[in-house]
Amino acid sequence: SILKAGVGLALALSVGIGSAAHAQGKKYTIALIPGLTTDAFYITMNKGAKAAADALGVDLVFQGGPEFSPTTQVPVLDAIIARKPDAILIAPTDVTQLVEPLKKAQDAGIPVITVDTFIGTGKYQTGSGDADFPLSYIASDNVMGGRMAARALADAIGEGGGKVYVSNVKPGISTTDQREEGFKAEMKENHPNITVLETQFNENDANRAASQLQAVYARNSDLKGVFGANLFSAIGAGNGVQQAGQTGNVKVIAFDAPTSIVDNINSGLVDAAIAQHPAEIGYFGVMSAYAHLTGQSIPTAIGTGFTIINKQNVSDPNVAKYVYSD
Ligand code: T6T
């Protein structure tokens, strides 16, 4: 029948178009630019991205700066744009400073997806503002993650409440700003007996975070806890607590889960780690870029989950699998 013939033709067409890229030997190249290269979070993200790239027959390029900073990230971005990849996945290191540099990619016809962090407001494809041009934002819900950290810290401290503070990287990073925002909102709304002291910014330097812990403790001998808002902040804050001889007395909640977190949880230095799922971010980043390149529409935002790791569950393989790869 005509109807059947029509369906047959449509099928033949779609199969033909779908395999065109392979038939012509077109291999897509997708670049993944992390916040910095030597960070277990982004190393794990790259693993997930590689799994998707291998499944799709895509070439994946992982290239980034040595520090979490626009100063080192923008030159890498410029070099990547010059190589004209088919798509760019990037964790922008600043909400405003990466807007212009990423526009250059957009102007060169290279689709941009941001992973982990966002530019502007993080609301993309809205037709408003000058930073809504990325196609999608794939990340943890960082405000919620901050709220989860606050609840875990309040639990660890218990009835009496007391003083805590946030060890953070620097203002202008979407993820860590949102974690602090969520943490403070949760404390204010639901834990009125906890006082949040001034945030200490460590520039992603664990040693600085450790000295700051000791300085805050020196000024506040009744300090009850600290929230390390990312991997380096948390490692540093934990080391500071240990160096001050306050293990177990000053509670530590860590954002992120490098391998060292397992020992720190077992020893009681860290009460809980809020592990992100960076491999999922990388996997869905590559899948989304590929979907776009092959003519599919993609969501403007994809949220990935968290796993709270503590002494009770740290040896469960279903939990331990969320510890990051080095
Ligand atoms: O916490 C992650 C990431 O989500 C954040 O944007 C920057 O710091 C990390 O990479 C951990 O070091």
Side-chain angles (χ1 to χ4, degrees), residues 39 41-42 68 116-117 173 175 179 230-232 256 276:
D39 177 336
F41 173 83
Y42 294 114
F68 195 99
D116 177 46
T117 46
I173 306 170
T175 46
R179 289 169 203 163
N230 84 332
L231 188 149
F232 301 99
D256 293 312
Q276 302 187 73

Side-chain angles (χ1 to χ4, degrees), residues 1 3 10 84 138 150 156 169 182 202 215 219 237 244 264 289:
S1 72
L3 188 64
K84 298 193 190 316
I138 306 174
V169 182
N202 56 51
R219 295 193 294 271
N264 289 342

Side-chain angles (χ1 to χ4, degrees), residues 27-196:
K27 207 167 193 224
Y28 291 115
T29 299
I30 297 176
L32 170 57
I33 306 176
L36 75 164
T37 49
T38 55
D39 177 336
F41 173 83
Y42 294 114
I43 291 168
T44 310
M45 182 188 291
N46 186 38
K47 269 184 115 181
K50 187 80 176 61
D54 288 349
L56 297 168
V58 161
D59 278 335
L60 179 70
V61 175
F62 180 74
Q63 207 177 316
E67 280 162 24
F68 195 99
S69 152
T71 315
T72 54
Q73 189 179 43
V74 171
V76 173
L77 171 60
D78 286 341
I80 291 280
I81 293 171
R83 288 172 61 180
K84 298 193 190 316
D86 294 293
I88 291 177
L89 307 175
I90 184 170
T93 45
D94 190 278
V95 278
T96 52
Q97 292 182 59
L98 265 291
V99 174
E100 286 308 319
L102 279 172
K103 250 189 205 141
K104 288 194 213 159
Q106 165 84 358
D107 292 346
I110 305 168
V112 174
I113 290 175
T114 78
V115 285
D116 177 46
T117 46
F118 60 71
I119 52 170
T121 60
K123 305 269 181 277
Y124 297 155
Q125 300 293 312
T126 60
S128 75
D130 62 351
D132 78 317
F133 59 86
L135 297 176
S136 189
Y137 171 51
I138 306 174
S140 308
D141 178 339
N142 287 287
V143 176
M144 186 172 85
R147 284 188 178 269
M148 289 166 71
R151 286 196 286 271
L153 189 53
D155 265 6
I157 292 170
E159 290 297 305
K163 293 177 186 169
V164 305
Y165 77 94
V166 182
S167 175
N168 211 344
V169 182
K170 63 188 160 195
I173 306 170
S174 69
T175 46
T176 48
D177 283 354
Q178 287 192 325
R179 289 169 203 163
E180 181 174 333
E181 178 195 324
F183 179 87
K184 287 180 168 168
E186 178 69 20
M187 287 305 193
K188 195 169 175 199
E189 289 162 24
N190 298 317
H191 304 283
N193 61 350
I194 289 183
T195 307
V196 182

Side-chain angles (χ1 to χ4, degrees), residues 216-262:
V216 174
Y217 179 68
R219 295 193 294 271
N220 302 273
S221 58
D222 53 348
L223 184 71
K224 288 285 182 273
V226 58
F227 167 39
N230 84 332
L231 188 149
F232 301 99
S233 307
I235 288 181
N239 288 344
V241 168
Q242 193 167 38
Q243 287 152 11
Q246 295 303 312
T247 302
N249 187 28
V250 176
K251 307 293 186 186
V252 180
I253 301 299
F255 215 88
D256 293 312
T259 50
S260 61
I261 211 73
V262 176

